[in-house]
Amino acid sequence: MGFALLLALTLLAAVAAVALGARLYADERSRAEVALAAATIWLGLIQLPVHTLGWLERLTAPTLAIASLCTSLVVFVAAHAGRRPFEQLHTTWRALSDVATLPFAAIDEAWRARSIAVLALLAAIFVAAWTFVVAWLAPSSSWDGLWYHEAMVGFALQNRGFGWVELPDYMQAVNGYARNSEHYLIWVTIFADRRLVDAVQSVMSPILVLAFFALARRYVQWRMGAMALGVVFFLTPGVVLQLRSTYIDLTAVTAFVVALYWTTKPRMRGRDVWLAGLALGLVGSSKSTGIYFMGLLGAVSSANVVLSMVQRRSGWLLLHGLGATLVLLALAGPTYGRNLERYGNPLWPLRFRIKALKVDWPGPQDVQDQQYPLSQVLDYLYGPPSPGHDYADTRMHGYGHVLPYLGIPLAVLAFLLLVWRCFAGDNRHSRPPTRAGPWHLLALSLVVIVSVVPSPAYWWSRFQLQAIGGVLLLLLWLLDQKWGSPWREGIVGAHVVFSIVVLFWLKPGWDVPLERVVELAAMRPADRAVQGTGFCQLPTITATARERELGPGDVAVFSDHPFPATLWNERMTNRVVFVPFGSRDQYLAQLDALRAEWAVVRNASGESRALRALPPRWEQVGPAGQGFTAFRRFSGPPGTGSAARPVQPTHPPRPALEPTKMPRALPGATFRGLRDGGAAPNLPTPRDAGAPRPLDAGRTLGRMRSAFDAGLPRLAPRDGGRTLRPTKARP
């Protein structure tokens, strides 16, 4: 019933978005632009009710369903106001048909043109559909997702909103990071359970390809090239590996490309300004770096509005711009405003310093320069494939294996040629009036370049995914020139083929191999939810106990567990509470006051000794990750509390995939290697009495992220242990 409601509300929002998009762009012949307008409005319609109710702390499934229904109906009615009802309904139905069949129309067009784009489009559809299915079958297992992305969802549902949560420093991202990308995770979770929480990125991927295609068609005539390179953008490892995860970089780059389209549209009209404001709000609230992207694109949009006012000799666009600014601030402002009010730092929990401007915003997590030496960067870009390191936040070869060799050099050549064209002559006469000229493309390229400048790690693709789109756009423009025609099919074909081939090299890729997918498909949903498929999850025996014992309102506490999102049940109806340890009596008394049913503690810690103390008040459930144990409140007869009650899953557990990831350690981390079932991390025993121990930003995660990567035989910490690099060549 819950998923049926989710589907109905999502489709209703899509119908309303298409109706309004078709009404606003009724005179637009481009199906891509109408579809992109509808997609932008649809993203806003999903976000708006979640955003509003969350900040009003009224976020529940019934209130969200009512708010979403009302919002979609209002938009649908507004789209048909002032027009003959049947005429506008016919227009809406035709627009719905056009948008729904757009992928098939693109495949048909590519097939008729005998273009390599048909292979690219089929691959993109298959990858998006496959990862959606795997996300439905396999429990979420991404590192950052179970660390804080899904914790944002859990605390929002638990507290019925985005109120401040008392958490240790390493979890302050839940409070301080821009959170609107997590609104989509809330949307797919609140009505039923979190089976679809990893599927959001698969839904975002078609919008990314569509936005790139629409943007590219502004500058080039070659439709097949725009389709193919849009898919290449999506299939780049740094992008495609974000599927089946709750990492939000794909959502953020999709919002960036959509905003780039609307904010740079030539001769803007009022409708364009409103969509630009909505898209800027989506960018600014998508992730912590979104405030920079929002400011940059906002400045571009303001300049474009002024230029359009001069061209049209009308000041009405200024009023539209003021209204769009209010939309932008309403979406992006609350998180940054609360951080500024509480800590004087809009980017909390990140510490931000600019010595030249004497800016020093406090925060527990220091933004570090993670740039590698040039030799290491070249190895990551041009080295041979190294399967075993391809995770959602992949670092090695995140730009793929053909873009560095072919795409980037040609994009540099294209940029130089573009500069020469702009300053050496005017080519506007060779372009149709609806296309932008070389000056416009040059300005857009400079915007993308400036957006990349503050990146903390140029080698790490996830920090500047928009740069991949910029490179491919310049490459496409170069191949669209007359002299590039003989070569363009081969160059684009190489990008497409290698992008598809690389998918077979990605290991562990999306974490779940084919045979495991088949096993999961044969299980009941309740059994699939407790099957561990990654290092970050609870073992099956403990997850099974969680589902049986933690119901609505039951409290599970933690003090420094690195993945608290694993402590919510599948429907996220129980409560998770942070309880710092000061002394045995204080800790146990606080657990009693909360009426906690579960406590997850670090082995050999003060909490662990307190829970094991006599007389027995707590009993062991099972392991809760590497170096952690889950306890339940003991309810048996005296003297029998030393052993946990046996919990047998309905389906026999299968061991999780062998961990192969070399996670980055945070500052201050010390660890001992884990390999082949080796010893637990070298975690110091905390004080058993006295004041609560300080919880620095990297204490837990740094110690948990141990050196167990068999693919890199020797590793040395760099930049205080935050990142890691090989000390000798890979075999």
Side-chain angles (χ1 to χ4, degrees):
M1 182 61 183
F3 286 114
L5 178 61
L6 170 64
L7 179 62
L9 292 174
T10 303
L11 290 179
L12 181 59
V15 170
V18 171
L20 184 57
R23 172 70 181 271
L24 292 175
Y25 291 88
D27 59 339
E28 179 58 54
R29 291 179 296 175
S30 171
R31 292 172 63 181
E33 181 157 277
V34 175
L36 186 59
T40 308
I41 297 167
W42 179 69
L43 293 177
L45 289 178
I46 297 297
Q47 279 216 10
L48 181 60
V50 179
H51 183 76
T52 304
L53 293 174
W55 285 105
L56 294 176
E57 299 189 0
R58 296 292 186 270
L59 183 60
T60 63
T63 58
L64 180 58
I66 294 171
S68 177
L69 177 64
C70 293
T71 304
S72 298
L73 289 177
V74 167
V75 170
F76 185 82
V77 171
H80 294 76
R83 297 285 181 92
R84 294 178 179 178
F86 292 104
E87 179 183 345
Q88 187 60 33
L89 284 172
H90 176 71
T91 302
T92 300
W93 174 255
R94 187 173 56 190
L96 283 169
S97 176
D98 288 344
V99 172
T101 60
L102 193 59
F104 306 103
I107 293 174
D108 180 68
E109 182 181 353
W111 176 262
R112 293 176 183 275
R114 298 296 188 266
S115 171
I116 191 70
V118 68
L119 178 63
L121 291 167
L122 290 174
I125 293 173
F126 174 79
V127 168
W130 172 253
T131 52
F132 189 96
V133 171
V134 177
W136 172 266
L137 295 176
S140 178
S141 60
S142 59
W143 188 287
D144 283 16
L146 293 177
W147 171 16
Y148 65 88
H149 291 302
E150 291 181 50
M152 286 183 172
V153 177
F155 284 117
L157 300 183
Q158 172 177 306
N159 301 324
R160 300 185 177 183
F162 309 142
W164 196 269
V165 184
E166 293 301 323
L167 291 170
D169 286 344
Y170 74 90
M171 288 295 299
Q172 283 302 320
V174 171
N175 290 317
Y177 277 9
R179 62 188 315 124
N180 286 28
S181 291
E182 284 76 12
H183 288 358
Y184 305 115
L185 309 184
I186 293 174
W187 175 259
V188 300
T189 303
I190 191 171
F191 300 113
D193 56 46
R194 49 177 165 177
R195 267 179 282 179
L196 286 176
V197 73
D198 277 349
V200 170
Q201 309 306 323
S202 299
V203 177
M204 288 292 170
S205 55
I207 303 177
L208 175 64
V209 175
L210 173 65
F212 179 87
F213 173 81
L215 187 64
R217 285 287 293 145
R218 184 185 294 167
Y219 306 104
V220 302
Q221 300 290 331
W222 189 28
R223 293 173 57 85
M224 296 301 102
M227 291 181 192
L229 291 187
V231 173
V232 170
F233 188 6
F234 164 56
L235 294 182
T236 304
V239 178
V240 76
L241 283 171
Q242 299 250 329
L243 303 180
R244 206 201 81 79
S245 80
T246 45
Y247 282 79
I248 48 83
D249 301 289
L250 197 157
T251 299
V253 74
T254 300
F256 183 94
V257 179
V258 170
L260 189 64
Y261 179 86
W262 294 117
T263 57
T264 61
K265 189 175 181 183
R267 298 182 64 87
M268 295 180 77
R269 299 169 63 177
R271 60 191 184 185
D272 305 319
V273 175
W274 282 98
L275 288 179
L278 175 58
L280 285 172
L282 299 178
V283 170
S285 56
S286 62
K287 59 184 299 184
S288 56
T289 54
I291 189 172
Y292 172 73
F293 298 148
M294 180 181 68
L296 174 63
L297 295 179
V300 172
S301 181
S302 299
N304 198 12
V305 167
V306 172
L307 179 61
S308 299
M309 288 170 55
V310 173
Q311 291 173 336
R312 296 182 180 278
R313 298 182 180 181
S314 172
W316 285 106
L317 275 184
L318 182 61
L319 295 179
H320 290 291
L322 293 176
T325 302
L326 294 179
V327 173
L328 181 160
L329 294 176
L331 282 174
T335 297
Y336 300 117
R338 182 172 68 178
N339 291 342
L340 186 63
E341 179 186 6
R342 290 180 69 99
Y343 295 103
N345 176 9
L347 299 179
W348 173 273
L350 301 176
R351 184 182 181 187
F352 188 76
R353 289 171 292 181
I354 303 179
K355 292 183 179 180
L357 301 178
K358 297 182 179 180
V359 173
D360 189 354
W361 293 339
Q365 299 176 13
D366 203 358
V367 179
Q368 294 190 357
D369 181 6
Q370 302 180 54
Q371 305 295 355
Y372 276 3
L374 179 61
S375 60
Q376 187 63 38
V377 173
L378 293 177
D379 183 43
Y380 273 20
L381 288 176
Y382 298 101
S386 53
H389 308 279
D390 306 308
Y391 292 83
D393 59 347
T394 186
R395 304 156 193 220
M396 303 180 70
H397 309 298
Y399 297 99
H401 292 276
V402 64
L403 195 68
Y405 284 99
L406 195 57
I408 293 178
L410 289 177
V412 172
L413 176 63
F415 183 80
L416 296 177
L417 178 62
L418 183 63
V419 172
W420 181 83
R421 282 278 180 89
C422 289
F423 288 95
D426 187 3
N427 296 298
R428 285 179 296 179
H429 64 278
S430 63
R431 297 283 179 182
T434 57
R435 300 290 179 257
W439 276 104
H440 199 279
L441 179 58
L442 178 62
L444 184 140
S445 302
L446 293 175
V447 169
V448 175
I449 292 172
V450 173
S451 74
V452 174
V453 169
S455 171
Y458 296 125
W459 55 270
W460 201 344
S461 59
R462 64 176 293 205
F463 287 124
Q464 51 274 328
L465 293 177
Q466 72 276 10
I468 300 173
V471 167
L472 293 174
L473 186 59
L474 285 171
L475 171 63
L476 183 62
W477 178 84
L478 180 68
L479 297 178
D480 193 51
Q481 307 306 304
K482 291 182 179 180
W483 67 268
S485 298
W487 311 95
R488 62 187 190 182
E489 287 287 351
I491 293 174
V492 170
H495 281 81
V496 170
V497 171
F498 271 92
S499 296
I500 296 173
V501 169
V502 166
L503 295 177
F504 295 93
W505 297 345
L506 300 178
K507 293 183 180 179
W510 300 300
D511 280 343
V512 189
L514 177 60
E515 60 272 15
R516 185 61 166 150
V517 173
V518 174
E519 292 178 5
L520 291 169
M523 299 181 190
R524 299 182 309 164
D527 293 331
R528 292 199 297 263
V530 299
Q531 297 293 316
T533 59
F535 172 77
C536 310
Q537 296 166 311
L538 293 182
T540 299
I541 191 72
T542 308
T544 303
R546 178 198 65 197
E547 296 301 312
R548 291 187 179 184
E549 300 175 15
L550 295 180
D554 290 338
V555 176
V557 304
F558 74 101
S559 54
D560 59 355
H561 193 273
F563 306 114
T566 61
L567 305 185
W568 275 283
N569 59 30
E570 184 70 358
R571 295 185 62 85
M572 286 191 155
T573 57
N574 64 298
R575 300 180 61 81
V576 176
V577 180
F578 164 65
V579 176
F581 180 82
S583 67
R584 169 184 163 182
D585 293 340
Q586 165 266 330
Y587 183 71
L588 293 176
Q590 198 159 354
L591 264 57
D592 290 340
L594 291 169
R595 297 182 179 179
E597 295 293 331
W598 267 39
V600 177
V601 299
R602 185 154 45 92
N603 297 341
S605 65
E607 299 97 313
S608 178
R609 288 192 292 272
L611 296 178
R612 296 177 186 273
L614 296 176
R617 301 165 64 181
W618 293 79
E619 61 182 353
Q620 182 175 326
V621 176
Q626 192 68 48
F628 287 81
T629 301
F631 288 81
R632 67 166 68 88
R633 186 176 293 276
F634 177 60
S635 57
T640 62
S642 58
R645 294 192 296 268
V647 178
Q648 296 298 331
T650 305
H651 196 283
R654 167 177 170 160
L657 297 178
E658 180 183 357
T660 58
K661 185 177 184 180
M662 165 48 67
R664 59 191 180 281
L666 297 183
T670 60
F671 45 79
R672 182 170 64 226
L674 290 178
R675 208 166 170 182
D676 300 326
N682 184 20
L683 303 177
T685 301
R687 295 187 299 274
D688 196 35
R693 63 177 183 273
L695 291 170
D696 61 82
R699 183 174 65 86
T700 297
L701 289 175
R703 290 164 179 158
M704 283 291 294
R705 295 190 171 198
S706 306
F708 50 76
D709 193 334
L712 295 177
R714 292 175 56 220
L715 294 154
R718 182 178 184 270
D719 295 335
R722 188 177 182 91
T723 56
L724 296 161
R725 58 183 173 83
T727 57
K728 69 177 184 180
R730 286 190 305 276

